[in-house]
Amino acid sequence: MNDFFQKEFTTGQFAALYGVNKRTLMYYDSIDLFKPAIVKKNGYRYYTYGQSVFFDVIQLLRKLRLPLEEIKKHLAHCTPQKTRTLLYNQSQMLEQELAELMWLQKVVQNKISRMEAKPEIDYSKIEIIESKAQAIVTSEPTSKISMEQVMKITLKFMRDCYHTRTYNGYPLGYMMDAEKMQQGDFSQLTNCFYHIDENHSEAVNWTYKPAGRYLVGYYKGSWTNMDPALQQLTDYANGHGLTFTGNAYLENILDDTAAVEDYYYCEAKISILLK
Amino acid sequence: MNDFFQKEFTTGQFAALYGVNKRTLMYYDSIDLFKPAIVKKNGYRYYTYGQSVFFDVIQLLRKLRLPLEEIKKHLAHCTPQKTRTLLYNQSQMLEQELAELMWLQKVVQNKISRMEAKPEIDYSKIEIIESKAQAIVTSEPTSKISMEQVMKITLKFMRDCYHTRTYNGYPLGYMMDAEKMQQGDFSQLTNCFYHIDENHSEAVNWTYKPAGRYLVGYYKGSWTNMDPALQQLTDYANGHGLTFTGNAYLENILDDTAAVEDYYYCEAKISILLK
DNA sequence: ACTTGACTATACAGTTACTGTATAGTTTAT
DNA sequence: ATAAACTATACAGTAACTGTATAGTCAAGT
């Protein structure tokens, strides 16, 4: 049994046994991470079964994203205590990575769902819709500041939502003061917002787009030329004796990922809360 | 508003805005992935807010592990349909990665728990223990074949358990025919096995180490010199009128990750089912 | 003994997605 | 006018392999 553990395998054989590339074994040899049990005088490397545990450990630590250099250091002075600490740290790291991946997965799933569910929209239609409350996160206020500042705040908001994993894959929206809008002032964006999944987002300070009756219209065209559409909605409201209250919500319909070609082009849903 | 989108940022400013390294922007320029809106005649690159959506998409696809070359190709002929397919494929990939990571996390957690829970063992103690059934997976039979073949099967078993994520981080064990053992034949390992988490393992064909009364002894020393310990247990059984039945289980106590120094050294628990 | 095919080793280059650094030129603030 | 702060380019380096060309070695068959 003893000499059996010593049975010699060439690089190719040992590599095949473990399903790795033999150049990897040579590489590990060259960086002194995992060396053959013996090198014969013709230069041929020979590995043994006895080395398998060692090799397995390397493979595991590799999977745990530990750099080869760290693995080497660890194996050089490896105590049960140190091993425990190492595993614990890597496990913490894995946890982070898992959280990130699960979030990403959710984001992508939501984007896909939205793409698949996209209905045919009559962009000239104006309607009144009874809507449930929807969870959103909002940015800092953007009213009464320069467009430059608005953009800065928007970018910061987007970056923050991304990093804090508040973002759930829904497109960005903007809010306006609905009462000002009714007075014909379309210039003041009060803030921007994201829809979020009430149950799954890691958002901390989120609110609702309130439940209620909304006047809803659609728009497609250049980002920079939306005012006539807003005017049309306002006219409609005034012509039908409707009173705006609270906020107007400009929500992108197209997902960012899909609408890359022309960055001025947008399709948006405009909903304004009615009294 | 129009000229506002055109507002120019130098490489450094744009990089700071998005929290990336400015050399990265230069790199993206050099590989024609993301180029500045304008390059002035002094060679300075200028980026604009209008490019931000494009850049965001690149960042997202990057997070989804899509290589830069693929991102480039995709953005070159990007339709909603293609985007959907792409996102779907990457999401499938993420799912794989998530499954792998969650398994790894479980493996590491189990290893850590075992290390922390390791009791002080009196290795000379022999006792009779009432044990519950424990979930295990077993390898192909290894009896009546050469030691070489046994090792091959063992390695294959380990590799399989690893790749199918059946392995849950518990050390390898070996089984022997308990009746043959009582007759003094310690040579025949019937197969090897892993303990698994009944609820969490992805194992397909698993069985139980049966509930019942076990004669339990311990061993520490060379792997190749365990026979005297087995003899001692057998003698004890014969001296106390105990009859072996079913299988004997040789279970490693040390985790592979922690016991790397000397690959002959092992600490094992030997439990033999009693009639 | 000789040839053939299958292996081995080394050296060198290439991969991906950056990042660092040295050098030289440009802009901006004082 | 000058210094500080920026810009650009060229070149090299990173990690963890992987591919390839070349040359040497081994085992089997004739």
Side-chain angles (χ1 to χ4, degrees):
Chain A
M1 190 150 174
N2 214 332
D3 49 298
F4 161 74
F5 267 87
Q6 309 287 17
K7 170 154 200 249
E8 293 164 5
F9 295 94
T10 64
T11 312
Q13 290 166 337
F14 196 81
L17 228 49
Y18 283 87
V20 297
N21 191 307
K22 61 180 176 173
R23 297 283 293 105
T24 302
L25 288 176
M26 291 184 186
Y27 176 65
Y28 283 3
D29 183 7
S30 79
I31 61 165
D32 298 326
L33 173 64
F34 181 66
K35 304 188 90 60
I38 16 167
V39 179
K40 297 215 172 144
K41 52 186 169 297
N42 59 8
Y44 279 32
R45 295 170 181 83
Y46 291 94
Y47 297 86
T48 65
Y49 275 135
Q51 300 183 271
S52 60
V53 175
F54 203 92
F55 191 64
D56 282 339
V57 172
I58 291 173
Q59 302 258 79
L60 177 71
L61 296 181
R62 241 343 353 248
K63 270 202 192 282
L64 294 175
R65 284 29 176 185
L66 200 65
L68 297 188
E69 200 51 42
E70 301 283 312
I71 297 180
K72 204 170 124 184
K73 265 190 232 154
H74 174 73
L75 293 177
H77 354 76
C78 161
T79 67
Q81 180 54 41
K82 278 184 184 164
T83 303
R84 230 220 48 173
T85 310
L86 183 78
L87 288 183
Y88 181 76
N89 292 341
Q90 293 313 103
S91 148
Q92 294 291 99
M93 218 215 54
L94 276 192
E95 201 60 44
Q96 290 293 109
E97 213 170 316
L98 268 170
E100 163 102 3
L101 248 59
M102 287 165 78
W103 165 72
L104 251 183
Q105 181 70 308
K106 191 94 188 79
V107 165
V108 175
Q109 292 295 340
N110 280 341
K111 279 177 188 281
I112 294 174
S113 305
R114 274 178 43 81
M115 285 175 179
E116 286 175 346
K118 201 198 158 190
E120 280 304 311
I121 295 171
D122 171 5
Y123 283 84
S124 60
K125 179 174 60 181
I126 293 179
E127 51 191 342
I128 291 171
I129 291 176
E130 194 72 35
S131 171
K132 283 187 195 154
Q134 293 174 307
I136 56 170
V137 265
T138 56
S139 73
E140 291 176 49
T142 54
S143 41
K144 289 177 192 164
I145 51 176
S146 70
M147 204 56 200
E148 161 105 47
Q149 283 300 316
V150 171
M151 198 73 190
K152 254 194 188 145
I153 287 178
T154 306
L155 273 181
K156 188 179 171 308
F157 175 66
M158 291 171 73
R159 270 239 311 283
D160 281 357
C161 287
Y162 214 74
H163 286 131
T164 57
R165 301 198 272 260
T166 295
Y167 175 65
N168 281 165
Y170 303 112
L172 192 69
Y174 298 89
M175 282 159 67
M176 293 178 90
D177 186 312
E179 278 144 41
K180 283 206 176 130
M181 196 176 157
Q182 194 150 32
Q183 286 151 35
D185 178 4
F186 309 134
S187 67
Q188 294 297 319
L189 301 172
T190 54
N191 58 271
C192 49
F193 72 96
Y194 275 126
H195 281 282
I196 56 169
D197 291 324
E198 199 166 325
N199 306 314
H200 296 98
S201 169
E202 301 202 18
V204 218
N205 293 315
W206 55 274
T207 58
Y208 283 111
K209 174 183 165 186
R213 277 202 318 149
Y214 284 86
L215 180 68
V216 175
Y218 299 91
Y219 171 73
K220 66 202 288 188
S222 168
W223 231 110
T224 53
N225 194 33
M226 207 187 276
D227 285 6
L230 301 178
Q231 186 62 59
Q232 219 179 320
L233 269 170
T234 309
D235 292 345
Y236 180 94
N238 290 335
H240 289 73
L242 301 167
T243 313
F244 295 167
T245 184
N247 287 300
Y249 297 82
L250 316 185
E251 301 167 39
N252 274 309
I253 291 169
L254 298 177
D255 191 89
D256 302 332
T257 324
V260 159
E261 306 109 50
D262 178 0
Y263 44 78
Y264 288 116
Y265 181 73
C266 81
E267 298 184 14
K269 176 181 174 185
I270 305 158
S271 24
I272 312 154
L273 186 59
L274 297 174
K275 201 171 259 173
Chain B
M1 192 151 171
N2 214 330
D3 50 296
F4 162 73
F5 267 89
Q6 310 287 16
K7 172 160 199 242
E8 292 163 6
F9 295 95
T10 64
T11 313
Q13 289 166 336
F14 197 80
L17 228 47
Y18 283 87
V20 299
N21 192 308
K22 61 179 177 175
R23 297 284 292 104
T24 302
L25 289 176
M26 291 183 185
Y27 176 65
Y28 283 3
D29 183 7
S30 78
I31 61 166
D32 297 326
L33 172 65
F34 181 67
K35 303 187 91 59
I38 18 167
V39 179
K40 299 214 172 147
K41 52 185 170 295
N42 59 7
Y44 279 32
R45 296 170 180 84
Y46 290 95
Y47 298 86
T48 64
Y49 274 136
Q51 299 183 271
S52 58
V53 176
F54 203 93
F55 192 65
D56 281 339
V57 172
I58 291 172
Q59 302 259 77
L60 178 72
L61 296 181
R62 246 331 5 244
K63 271 204 192 280
L64 294 175
R65 281 39 173 178
L66 200 66
L68 297 188
E69 200 52 41
E70 302 283 312
I71 297 179
K72 204 169 123 185
K73 265 188 233 154
H74 174 74
L75 293 178
H77 355 76
C78 162
T79 68
Q81 179 54 41
K82 278 184 183 162
T83 303
R84 231 221 48 174
T85 311
L86 183 79
L87 288 183
Y88 181 77
N89 292 341
Q90 293 312 104
S91 148
Q92 293 291 101
M93 216 216 56
L94 276 191
E95 201 59 45
Q96 290 294 109
E97 212 172 316
L98 267 171
E100 162 104 4
L101 246 59
M102 286 164 78
W103 165 72
L104 250 183
Q105 182 69 309
K106 191 94 188 83
V107 166
V108 175
Q109 292 295 340
N110 279 341
K111 279 178 188 281
I112 293 174
S113 304
R114 275 177 43 80
M115 286 175 177
E116 285 176 346
K118 201 198 156 190
E120 279 304 312
I121 295 170
D122 172 4
Y123 284 84
S124 61
K125 178 175 60 181
I126 294 179
E127 50 190 342
I128 292 171
I129 290 176
E130 194 73 37
S131 172
K132 284 187 194 153
Q134 292 174 309
I136 57 171
V137 265
T138 56
S139 73
E140 292 175 51
T142 54
S143 40
K144 289 175 191 163
I145 51 175
S146 71
M147 202 55 200
E148 162 103 45
Q149 283 299 317
V150 171
M151 197 71 190
K152 254 192 189 147
I153 287 177
T154 306
L155 271 181
K156 188 176 171 307
F157 175 67
M158 290 169 74
R159 268 239 311 284
D160 282 357
C161 287
Y162 214 74
H163 285 130
T164 58
R165 301 199 271 258
T166 296
Y167 174 66
N168 282 165
Y170 303 112
L172 191 70
Y174 298 89
M175 282 159 66
M176 294 179 88
D177 185 313
E179 278 144 39
K180 284 208 174 127
M181 196 175 156
Q182 194 149 35
Q183 287 151 36
D185 178 3
F186 308 134
S187 66
Q188 294 297 320
L189 300 173
T190 55
N191 58 270
C192 49
F193 72 97
Y194 275 127
H195 281 282
I196 57 168
D197 290 325
E198 200 166 323
N199 307 315
H200 296 97
S201 170
E202 301 202 17
V204 216
N205 294 314
W206 55 275
T207 59
Y208 282 112
K209 173 183 167 186
R213 276 204 318 150
Y214 284 86
L215 181 68
V216 175
Y218 298 91
Y219 172 74
K220 64 201 291 187
S222 169
W223 231 110
T224 55
N225 194 34
M226 207 186 278
D227 286 7
L230 300 177
Q231 187 61 59
Q232 220 180 317
L233 268 171
T234 309
D235 292 347
Y236 180 95
N238 291 335
H240 289 73
L242 302 168
T243 313
F244 293 168
T245 185
N247 287 300
Y249 297 82
L250 316 185
E251 302 165 39
N252 274 309
I253 290 169
L254 297 178
D255 189 89
D256 302 333
T257 324
V260 158
E261 307 109 48
D262 179 359
Y263 43 78
Y264 288 117
Y265 182 73
C266 81
E267 297 184 16
K269 176 180 174 185
I270 305 158
S271 22
I272 311 154
L273 186 58
L274 297 174
K275 201 171 256 173

